[in-house]
Amino acid sequence: MRYDTPVFFRAVTPGDYDESTGNYGEDVVSETMVMASVMDTQTETMKLVYGDIRQGSLTLTIQNHYDQTFDNIRVGDKVYRVDRTRRLRVKQSFIVSEVQ
């Protein structure tokens, strides 16, 4: 298993409310890069997690554990949400699906 793909754990902080204009400011996104093994999710796993087959589902595996809070994960230019996570002794895996 090669951990050769950079993935970014994203934490989104909503913008502050501006009373004079009534608008909210821009959201602030902070990203933490981690190297991961990225694979397509197997058909059997998709049936267990989702109940059907979904396009754009990936399985990410990282070495060690990621303990900080995050909202979503970015791989390349696409943003994914975590549908299932599994913590093993020395690594952690995530099953993610693409956010439309």
Side-chain angles (χ1 to χ4, degrees), residues 33-52:
M33 195 264 301
V34 175
M35 297 302 285
S37 172
V38 178
M39 302 171 282
D40 288 330
T41 304
Q42 297 178 354
T43 305
E44 297 85 18
T45 306
M46 278 194 268
K47 287 183 180 179
L48 286 172
V49 173
Y50 304 118
D52 60 352

Side-chain angles (χ1 to χ4, degrees), residues 1-80:
M1 188 177 297
R2 289 189 174 169
Y3 298 92
D4 59 350
T5 307
V7 297
F8 299 89
F9 289 88
R10 299 167 41 121
V12 179
T13 305
D16 293 330
Y17 179 71
D18 185 3
E19 293 181 15
S20 62
T21 62
N23 296 327
Y24 286 91
E26 294 290 325
D27 293 344
V28 177
V29 178
S30 61
E31 295 184 335
T32 304
M33 195 264 301
V34 175
M35 297 302 285
S37 172
V38 178
M39 302 171 282
D40 288 330
T41 304
Q42 297 178 354
T43 305
E44 297 85 18
T45 306
M46 278 194 268
K47 287 183 180 179
L48 286 172
V49 173
Y50 304 118
D52 60 352
I53 297 174
R54 286 194 180 179
Q55 296 289 346
S57 177
L58 297 176
T59 300
L60 314 173
T61 305
I62 62 171
Q63 293 175 329
N64 300 321
H65 298 133
Y66 190 80
D67 294 325
Q68 286 80 27
T69 58
F70 63 95
D71 296 312
N72 48 42
I73 296 176
R74 180 173 65 86
V75 179
D77 294 333
K78 297 182 179 179
V79 177
Y80 296 88

